[in-house]
Amino acid sequence: MAATEADRDPSALCSEFLDFSAKDTASRWLAAADLQQEVCRHLAIYVPRIFCLGLSGSEREEQREELACQLLLLAPLEWLLLGEEPAAGLALLQENNQPSALCGHVFKVGEPTYSCRECAADPTCVLCMKCFLGSVHKEHRYRMTTSGGGGFCDCGDSEAWKTGPYCQKHTPGDAHLPTDMVGRAFSVFFIILKYAVDLLTWEHEDLLPAGLQPPEREDTYYCMLFNDEVHTYEQVIYTLQKAVSCSQKEAVSFATTVDRDGRKSVRYGDFQFCEQAKSVIVRNTSRQSKPLRVQVMHSSVVAHQCFALKALSWLGQIIQYSDGLRRILCQVGLQKGPEGENSSLVDRLMLNDSKMWKGARNIYHQLLMNSLLMDLKYKKIFAIQFAKNYRRLQTDFMEDDHERVVSVTSLSVQLFTVPTMARMLMVEENLMTTIIRTFVDHLRHRDPQGRFQFDRYTAQQAFKFGRVQSLIGDLKYVLISPPSKWSDQLRLKFLEGFYAFLELLKCMQGMDPVVRQVGQHIEMEPEWEAAFTLQMKLTNIITMIQEWCSTDERVLIEAYKKCLSALSHCHSSLPDGEQPISLSLAGHSVETFRYQVSQEKVSIHLPVCRLLAGLHVLLSRTEVASRFPEQLPLGELSPPLLIELPLRCLVLCAQVHAGMWRRNGFSLINQIYYYHNVKCRVEMFDKDIIMLQAGASMMDPNHFLMIVLSRFELFHVFSTADIRKRYREANKDLVQQNTLIEEMLHLIIMVVGERYVAGVGQVEPYDEVRREIIHLLSIRPMAHSELAKALPENGNKETGLERVIDSVASFKKPGVTGRGLYELRPEWNRYFNLYFHHYSRADQSKAEEAQRKLRRQSGEDTGKHTCPLVNLLQCDVLLAIEGAVLQWAVEPSGGGWTESMLQRVLHLVGMALLEEQQQLENSSGYEDVTFNYTCKITRPGEAPSTSGSVLALLESLQNAPHLEVHKDMITWILKMVSNIKMMRERTSSASSFTMMKDKDKAERKRKAEMARLRREKIMAQMSEMQKHFINENKELFQQSMEELEASTSATHHSPPSAELTCVSQVAVGPRRVGGTERRQLVTCILCQEEQEIRGHSRAMVLAAFVQRSTVLSKNRHCNLPNPEHRDPLFMHPDLCLGIHTASCGHIMHATCWQRYFEAVQLKEQRRQQRLRGHTSYDVENGEFLCPLCECLSNTVIPMLPHAASPDHRYAHLTAVRHSHNKHTSEEAEPVVPQGFKVDFTPQNPFSSSISEMITTFSLSTYKVGLKVNPNEQDPRVPVLSWSSCAYTIQSIERLLMDEEKPLFGSLPCRQDDCLSSLTRFSSACWTAAPLKTVHTHFIRLLSALVPDTQVENTQSILEIDMFHLLVYSVLAYSSIHCLDQSGCSVVDSGHLHLLHLVTVAHLVQILLTSTTEEVCMDQDNSGSEEEELTCQLYSTLRNHLGSVLPEVSSGWQLYRCLKAGVLPFLRAAALFFHYLNSTAPPAELLSISYSKLPGKALPDTPVCVCVFSWCCHPGVRQTLQGGGAIIRFPRESNRLIELPEDYSVLINQASSFTCPRSGGDKSRAPTLCLVCGCMLCSQSYCCQTEVDGEDVGACTAHTFTCGAGLGLFLSRVRESQVLFVAGKTKGCFYPPPYLDDYGETDQGLKRGNPLHLCAERYRKIERLWRQHGIAEVIGHAQEANQALVAIDWQHL
């Protein structure tokens, strides 16, 4: 049976509040013999009575708990600790405190953190915003990121910063506590900390520790649900609804709390009642995975655990007051208990971490950070305990299912990144070895050879593998800064760790081996990702270990020896029985063994081999090899064995490129991709090249090349004289073989030429980065982020880019779109090498193309060479290979060679010649030049190739017609040969060399001159042909010339006439000037048929998009009445909700459009049956994409003919008045003027198809505007069409005004056509509605202006937007004018009267709402006529309204206010009448925003009656006296909110934003509305609300109140993304307006560069919004990217 709320008795507790004295209780405790027992007894009595009295989680309940806890539990503890009134005692403590030099601010989720790229010891060293702004680092290059929560600020830690460790606020100091307080603090802290630890590690659900048992025990239990990372929100919500019979909303609340705090009670009652809920939850969640963890706990246990958390938080707060108290708490926590090892309170917490729930973990981690980690002495003791228990903690973490951020293991980042501490732990606790061994132990899956095996990973294993990787992170922290001084002990322990690491690498050596599939494609793709993930994670570790080795010679020598023996061990475990063979070529022979990559097993993972290559380079770089050769096992090195495995790997890549491994599927292609990728290549591909270079430098170059030929399976190609025989022997097709030859030549170029590695060539790392950048920019100009991504990062996430970039490239800033780009400076082009080893094939061809444009001559830069490798270039085997390729090129038959092959050979020849030239130039005498390539290439080829010498072959190729593209290169080579010969022969080298250069210049000049002459000749020929053509077609040209002249003369003579008409250009009234009688010919985009627009022809329509809008709104959050009862006839001046129509301007026949739309509907039905995918438009809501431009549309506007020219006979508004009387006074027989037929039904001026389209568009505006189903009979249908017309004109007028564009002539065609069609449609839409309806509307509109006793509930003048009133009444008047058949009145005079009347009403409106500020400058008293009239009108208004209006003396001021206020209205009216009457605008309105207020507009006497009635309306006085919001004129244009210039300010705001529904919890994804500035909690269940019966996220819900369903958000402020949302199903991401210094956006803050607001980009977003273009942008984005369509936008 459930316990009811009546069971509790808060009143009893309240009476105790009054009698309870914290001071007396503390005194009683102090006097007691056993303080701990006394305190526990007090807690046993009070805690269960204060906490957890049922499920009620109301705010009031929480406040009651807080208050009772403070008064009855914490206050006595504070009295006991301080010995005086707590408030005074704490203030005194704080006053005497010397705060710690460490900041220790613990980061909240999403808070901005700053790291200095110049001064930070490693990337984990960060500052909080306050410390950063007060530090020297804000002037440096810094990185800004958002915290994942849990870390803390390193300000004050001298080891974390190379310079500037302290900000202005944190400087070192010291403080002491009174002696008596020290003793009391020890006691209190011990009692409370022990109590908390006992309860948080307590495992009994029904019992309490001794001394805490409650006086009487009740049968009240909780069903407690715990969090895990396995089950989804949906599963938990569904289960809870079933188990505890709660609503969806309550279940969501439970699930949110469980996710946030780690546990939540979901039922309260007796044991049986809770046990029943538990069994349902377990049963429901155990089907697919392990069940949710649920416990039935006694209420007293839960109460004590709640207070334990409160007590820990209290301790955290108390120690903030005094550093002395902090140290006491540290001592208490770390003091060993009677049990010995791991018995301290902190140890107990740490070892039970994985058993605790999330909330408890967070609180005690926070306490550890605020206490132990803030004091270096105790931090060290804690670190030793942490390292001792490291293996156990990590094992617990592997079994735990919580994220690492809430595990105690995440504290490793705070301990291991302190260099002195890391080394101390390495020496004392052997930390490096422990981490590596723990890591290896957890990866248990091995193959028979002991290598890691990751195939067919289950989800559980993958989860575990993800967890194991955190160990690599810890190892990285330990190794991140190499030591400057080594002790013997450190050497010993580091080498022990190194040996353990070698064991790990040996498990990786040769893992995931592949065998070439022949005949049949591989059935199942093997698992390869895990191995590469491991490789990527270890890349930085391997680099760091090499850096550690490089700082100490003894360590390096030992490591090298150990690595060499590990490699020998790996080689000995290779399968034996490989057949030894002997190869001979070009007079040399070598012993090797038979191995074919295309038939045997081969692996891409060779970490031991690559580590040795890295150490080998270090020996050379640190010159250890030359200084201590006797200590190195150089005799054990077998070069053929060293090069064997890397060579196999490179041959595998070559064969994959040649297409020989296609049947092995994508897994192999992906492996090859990552092997070369920047993330892995430093420790994979680069090291393989280095190993080949090392092997080649120790071997006879001929032997090296013969082994390479053998492994490439090309030996027979170059050893067979008979060309036909070499095809016969090959088991590959010709194309594959040619590709292999190209790849092999490329490899030789790389082995010889790639010297830009410190230790291989005489270069620095700086040169290495510079060369990378030069080659990247040779492909194309690149953005900073692209360059950073293409360069390898070191352990500190730095690439060295910034140091180099400015010297080799120039920066081009971006415009409103795009990003800033770096371009290579021209002087660096000469360092370009086409065969740069990091180029992919695509990069190579792009770079070649780019360079071809820049220059035609080829020259190489090969760095400084070390001797042994260069001999490769002049060895006999290479000469034989070159000779063979050149020989094939001379006899181009059978396609046995390719141009790429030849190009590579020429490149090798060029490299050799440059090398010889360099040696000759650098040597003192020619005797010591060992490089003699020119002599060797003049020797004829030896057997088996009996061709001529290489030089002879080159000479014969020089003029070969099929090699035109290589001619320059061959010429250059021959020139170099003769040049080098001359250098060898001549005595005075300098003169002939310059002569050669001059010769070269003269030759180039001659070629350029010849090219110029050739161009001139071609141009002359073209000109001649043109003349000839004109002569032949004379008549045709004559005709077109005459037409051209006629048109130009017309334009020359037109201005005078235009000037004449300017004065008389009238758009409204009887003197209206008609539009030019132009025929409108348009073409249908679907059937391409041309047609003139007429009233009785087939209907033509414009694709259009109608949407609700709040862009002009002055009252965003007004509550509109139910759409069924809403009366839209009078628009309020706040324009709270309008209907905007836009069009892409594309025209179709109505019938063509209907056919197209039906096809779209059909396609949608079929799609739903088949795919159930999404589309970017909602067909059910009538949406479609324009067939031509794919612009989102939801209706069509019918195109109507231009208004007829006016009839100039003058008439009055009598027709209106009589019509008005006809409908209002039904008793008396009205006097009807002659020709005015009241019962007359006018003939519809339009064809049935046009009428149908008029109805279609009317219903679209009705449906969108009111959000109701279409209903033709509703009298509001025409009103909404008029509303759309008025609102669209108003929004365009505002846009033109703010952009300072002229009123006419500056609109794009699509907007011009849209306004024109919309206005003409609006003037005709009354034809589709019953006349009586339109007349009723007109009477109500007119009664708002002209007083009428018979019309009730008229609006006050301050509640009507006058432009809407003008548009409505002018358009409704047409329906009344049609009744007048006399022909004596014209519609124009009626329009003019209405315009005058509405304008006067607007002037009164402006004066009533004007606020005239005092103006400083003096005005002369003699006012103009306009000013006097304005004063008169104002005084009239004051007479009617009295003291409600303030007295204003300055007529000038009033007139200025009036003129500014009426201007937007007049401009909008001008646009309206221009489109309504198709009048050409006067010239001055085409050039500037010109508008002058004529004196006549001010009211004359007859209108005074109206003015009086307007002022007498009760609503006016009520509004002016503060009864409602007053709208001032001119209305200020709405803008998007002001954004801060620095993005981190925004992140800071977001980090302090709490979720409004989660009890002060930080929001995970704070999102800023750019329209109103509201911060929202998006993408979370906690803030979901119901809209139209559907659950939607906070952003979507906000769009309906703020933007009529349309929203612009700075989504996920922490990720710098702009989000556009339209309705529930549409949305897209848009580039944010924040850029870094390199002109790039950083969505997701991945790069961390400081971001600043780009005003132009923000203006562009604002303009999109104000133009109502957001929905269109979303439509285009979703069409372009289908992934956007699938996102559940409504949950954002």
Side-chain angles (χ1 to χ4, degrees), residues 47 68 184 245 457 459 472 503 638 683 746 777 923 932 1223 1251 1257 1271 1605-1606:
V47 168
R184 289 200 305 274
S245 311
Y457 242 36
I472 301 177
E503 290 303 313
S638 157
E683 292 302 334
H746 194 172
L777 293 179
S923 63
N932 198 356
H1223 287 292
S1251 298
F1257 183 67
N1271 174 13
L1606 201 117

Side-chain angles (χ1 to χ4, degrees), residues 911-977:
M911 284 169 82
L913 292 170
L914 277 169
E915 181 60 37
E916 188 166 349
Q917 182 184 339
Q918 201 175 327
Q919 285 202 15
L920 284 168
E921 283 172 357
N922 294 346
S923 63
S924 47
Y926 294 141
E927 312 74 60
D928 57 353
V929 175
T930 54
F931 202 83
N932 198 356
Y933 187 71
T934 43
C935 301
K936 292 192 176 184
I937 59 171
T938 50
R939 287 202 315 247
E942 299 171 16
S945 169
T946 52
S947 58
S949 68
V950 169
L951 192 59
L953 288 167
L954 280 169
E955 282 167 348
S956 61
L957 284 174
Q958 187 179 7
N959 296 313
H962 61 285
L963 297 176
E964 186 63 39
V965 76
H966 300 292
K967 189 176 178 183
D968 285 353
M969 183 72 173
I970 297 171
T971 311
W972 179 82
I973 287 172
L974 295 172
K975 203 183 291 177
M976 278 293 283
V977 171

Side-chain angles (χ1 to χ4, degrees), residues 569-869:
H569 176 260
C570 290
H571 273 298
S572 64
S573 67
L574 284 174
D576 287 317
E578 283 148 337
Q579 210 175 324
I581 51 167
S582 178
L583 303 170
S584 55
L585 177 66
H588 298 267
S589 60
V590 64
E591 297 292 323
T592 177
F593 52 84
R594 189 181 297 285
Y595 174 87
Q596 287 193 314
V597 173
S598 61
Q599 290 171 16
E600 318 274 342
K601 273 187 177 180
V602 59
S603 168
I604 212 161
H605 295 284
L606 310 167
V608 177
C609 192
R610 289 164 187 153
L611 178 59
L612 184 71
L615 295 173
H616 193 84
V617 168
L618 288 180
L619 288 177
S620 154
R621 192 173 91 195
T622 53
E623 297 178 353
V624 170
S626 52
R627 284 185 292 138
F628 310 108
E630 68 288 347
Q631 291 189 20
L632 290 168
L634 296 174
E636 293 172 28
L637 289 174
S638 157
L641 269 184
L642 285 185
I643 66 168
E644 184 61 37
L645 293 173
L647 184 54
R648 289 179 188 181
C649 197
L650 288 159
V651 170
L652 171 67
C653 293
Q655 291 186 352
V656 169
H657 279 157
M660 291 169 60
W661 289 69
R662 283 213 182 99
R663 293 190 172 90
N664 283 62
F666 280 110
S667 60
L668 183 60
I669 292 170
N670 290 331
Q671 287 186 64
I672 301 289
Y673 168 78
Y674 277 105
Y675 172 72
H676 289 288
N677 184 273
V678 65
K679 286 192 173 80
C680 305
R681 71 174 181 223
V682 176
E683 292 302 334
M684 294 186 91
F685 171 65
D686 291 2
K687 291 291 189 286
D688 284 348
I689 295 288
I690 288 172
M691 197 51 128
L692 287 186
Q693 290 174 324
S697 64
M698 292 186 266
M699 290 169 75
D700 180 322
N702 293 296
H703 294 172
F704 172 77
L705 282 173
M706 284 153 77
I707 291 174
V708 168
L709 279 173
S710 166
R711 293 293 169 266
F712 269 92
E713 300 168 29
L714 292 171
F715 192 78
H716 65 277
V717 175
F718 293 98
S719 60
T720 312
D722 184 358
I723 198 161
R724 285 179 299 284
K725 195 174 174 193
R726 73 185 177 95
Y727 296 141
R728 215 174 30 250
E729 281 189 18
N731 58 353
K732 299 172 268 297
D733 68 22
L734 191 55
V735 177
Q736 288 179 347
Q737 187 169 297
N738 286 342
T739 309
L740 283 178
I741 296 173
E742 287 169 21
E743 292 288 330
M744 183 202 64
L745 291 168
H746 194 172
L747 178 63
I748 297 167
I749 291 172
M750 289 192 290
V751 168
V752 178
E754 289 307 330
R755 297 316 176 73
Y756 274 80
V757 178
V760 178
Q762 295 160 17
V763 290
E764 294 300 314
Y766 177 90
D767 302 310
E768 215 174 316
V769 176
R770 185 173 65 193
R771 185 160 184 260
E772 288 278 351
I773 292 171
I774 289 169
H775 284 88
L776 285 168
L777 293 179
S778 294
I779 303 170
R780 59 184 167 80
M782 286 186 178
H784 184 274
S785 59
E786 286 178 286
L787 287 169
K789 220 180 274 179
L791 293 172
E793 287 183 341
N794 64 9
N796 281 348
K797 295 191 174 170
E798 290 293 327
T799 56
L801 171 66
E802 280 80 9
R803 288 187 308 146
V804 182
I805 186 71
D806 291 324
S807 62
V808 294
S810 49
F811 183 64
K812 279 175 68 178
K813 287 197 165 176
V816 180
T817 54
R819 48 195 181 163
L821 295 175
Y822 279 104
E823 285 183 348
L824 189 64
R825 295 180 192 272
E827 63 267 27
W828 294 95
N829 275 320
R830 62 198 180 88
Y831 291 97
F832 170 73
N833 174 9
L834 180 60
Y835 295 101
F836 178 59
H837 66 316
H838 288 156
Y839 274 165
S840 66
R841 293 181 150 199
D843 290 343
Q844 196 178 3
S845 57
K846 282 179 199 162
E848 185 176 14
E849 191 57 45
Q851 290 301 313
R852 277 227 170 107
K853 286 178 187 169
L854 289 172
R855 56 188 179 169
R856 288 281 175 250
Q857 187 191 14
S858 179
E860 313 303 331
D861 170 64
T862 46
K864 297 176 181 176
H865 285 200
T866 49
C867 262
L869 267 183

Side-chain angles (χ1 to χ4, degrees), residues 278-473:
K278 175 182 173 178
S279 61
V280 176
I281 293 172
V282 170
R283 190 171 64 245
N284 264 316
T285 54
S286 57
R287 285 168 195 154
Q288 281 94 17
S289 55
K290 65 174 190 176
L292 275 167
R293 184 177 151 212
V294 199
Q295 286 180 1
V296 175
M297 302 174 74
H298 194 270
S299 59
S300 61
V301 176
V302 178
H304 277 286
Q305 286 186 341
C306 282
F307 179 63
L309 294 185
K310 284 262 191 295
L312 287 181
S313 300
W314 175 76
L315 285 174
Q317 287 160 9
I318 286 288
I319 60 173
Q320 299 290 332
Y321 289 99
S322 163
D323 225 35
L325 288 178
R326 175 186 286 118
R327 285 196 285 274
I328 292 171
L329 182 64
C330 292
Q331 280 173 278
V332 168
L334 292 169
Q335 200 174 331
K336 286 215 175 349
E339 299 87 10
E341 192 66 26
N342 293 334
S343 60
S344 74
L345 294 173
V346 168
D347 287 345
R348 282 177 58 199
L349 277 174
M350 193 161 62
L351 295 173
N352 283 290
D353 184 75
S354 64
K355 294 172 189 164
M356 285 187 230
W357 67 98
K358 205 171 177 178
R361 294 187 198 191
N362 282 334
I363 284 175
Y364 99 78
H365 292 173
Q366 181 103 5
L367 184 64
L368 291 184
M369 286 187 191
N370 288 337
S371 54
L372 298 176
L373 302 187
M374 291 282 285
D375 193 293
L376 287 175
K377 175 184 167 188
Y378 297 107
K379 188 175 184 176
K380 184 177 172 182
I381 300 169
F382 174 61
I384 290 171
Q385 286 304 104
F386 187 85
K388 273 196 172 95
N389 292 306
Y390 185 81
R391 184 180 285 250
R392 183 171 159 190
L393 291 175
Q394 288 294 349
T395 308
D396 286 350
F397 171 61
M398 299 301 154
E399 304 307 320
D400 185 19
D401 64 357
H402 280 60
E403 296 160 353
R404 187 164 194 256
V405 74
V406 290
S407 164
V408 74
T409 56
S410 65
L411 291 180
S412 60
V413 67
Q414 311 300 343
L415 306 172
F416 298 167
T417 51
V418 182
T420 50
M421 203 169 284
R423 278 164 222 154
M424 180 265 295
L425 293 174
M426 196 187 280
V427 170
E428 291 185 19
E429 298 299 330
N430 206 355
L431 180 64
M432 183 178 170
T433 314
T434 306
I435 295 175
I436 296 168
R437 293 215 172 120
T438 309
F439 180 71
V440 175
D441 287 352
H442 281 291
L443 292 177
R444 297 198 185 93
H445 295 269
R446 310 283 168 86
D447 67 0
Q449 282 79 36
R451 297 176 298 213
F452 292 139
Q453 192 169 23
F454 297 106
D455 47 80
R456 311 284 173 277
Y457 242 36
T458 63
Q460 188 60 33
Q461 286 167 326
F463 176 73
K464 205 163 181 187
F465 182 52
R467 306 225 131 191
V468 172
Q469 289 169 27
S470 64
L471 290 154
I472 301 177

Side-chain angles (χ1 to χ4, degrees), residues 1411-1431:
T1411 51
T1412 49
E1413 322 84 30
E1414 286 304 315
V1415 179
C1416 307
M1417 51 186 188
D1418 297 323
Q1419 293 297 329
D1420 52 349
N1421 296 329
S1422 56
S1424 64
E1425 184 194 349
E1426 286 96 338
E1427 288 173 24
E1428 284 170 19
L1429 284 166
T1430 310
C1431 281

Side-chain angles (χ1 to χ4, degrees), residues 53 88 128 151 162 243 378 480 491 535 788 862 951 958 963 978 1038 1043 1171 1177 1195 1332 1461 1476 1505 1578 1588:
L53 302 174
C128 64
K162 295 168 192 166
Y378 297 107
I480 207 153
R491 278 193 192 94
Q535 173 66 44
T862 46
L951 192 59
Q958 187 179 7
L963 297 176
S978 58
Q1038 195 63 40
E1043 282 172 19
L1171 294 172
Y1177 51 92
T1195 185
K1332 181 125 194 241
L1476 181 69
V1505 185
S1578 75
D1588 300 337

